[in-house]
């Protein structure tokens, strides 16, 4: 079984930073700002925005940027 916990996600981000990867938003990538070894984090937010908030807090604590796309649904 795969482990998709926030702790494992934090470890992944830390490992990428340790290997000198830079993080860019999707917009920055489209503008040609990404250079060298880089990661683009793109998250889709559907019904449980509070889950995405926890992910964003982890990224912010590590000084990592990401793009969040909020899907508008009838609920």
């Amino acid at each position: 079984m795969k482990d998709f916990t926030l702790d494992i996600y934090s470890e992944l981000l830390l490992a990428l930073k340790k290997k000198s990867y830079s993080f860019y938003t999707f917009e920055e990538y489209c503008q040609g700002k990404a250079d060298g070894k880089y990661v683009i984090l793109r998250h889709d937010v559907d019904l449980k925005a509070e889950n995405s908030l926890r992910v964003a807090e982890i990224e912010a604590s590590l000084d990592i940027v990401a793009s969040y796309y909020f899907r508008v649904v009838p609920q």
Side-chain angles (χ1 to χ4, degrees):
M1 178 180 222
K2 301 283 183 188
D3 185 349
F4 294 109
T5 64
L6 294 178
D7 288 337
I8 295 299
Y9 183 63
S10 296
E11 288 178 26
L12 171 64
L13 295 177
L14 287 169
L16 290 167
K17 284 187 78 155
K18 186 176 180 181
K19 293 290 185 178
S20 300
Y21 280 84
S22 298
F23 293 81
Y24 294 93
T25 63
F26 183 68
E27 181 179 8
E28 291 170 331
Y29 170 76
C30 291
Q31 293 171 346
K33 295 181 180 179
D35 189 32
K37 297 189 319 185
Y38 61 88
V39 175
I40 300 160
L41 297 172
R42 181 189 179 280
H43 305 287
D44 292 329
V45 181
D46 291 324
L47 298 175
K48 295 185 178 180
E50 63 274 1
N51 292 341
S52 296
L53 176 59
R54 287 191 223 123
V55 171
E57 290 169 340
I58 290 169
E59 292 163 349
S61 73
L62 297 173
D63 198 29
I64 290 174
V65 296
S67 296
Y68 285 78
Y69 290 86
F70 289 81
R71 192 173 142 217
V72 178
V73 293
Q75 298 92 327

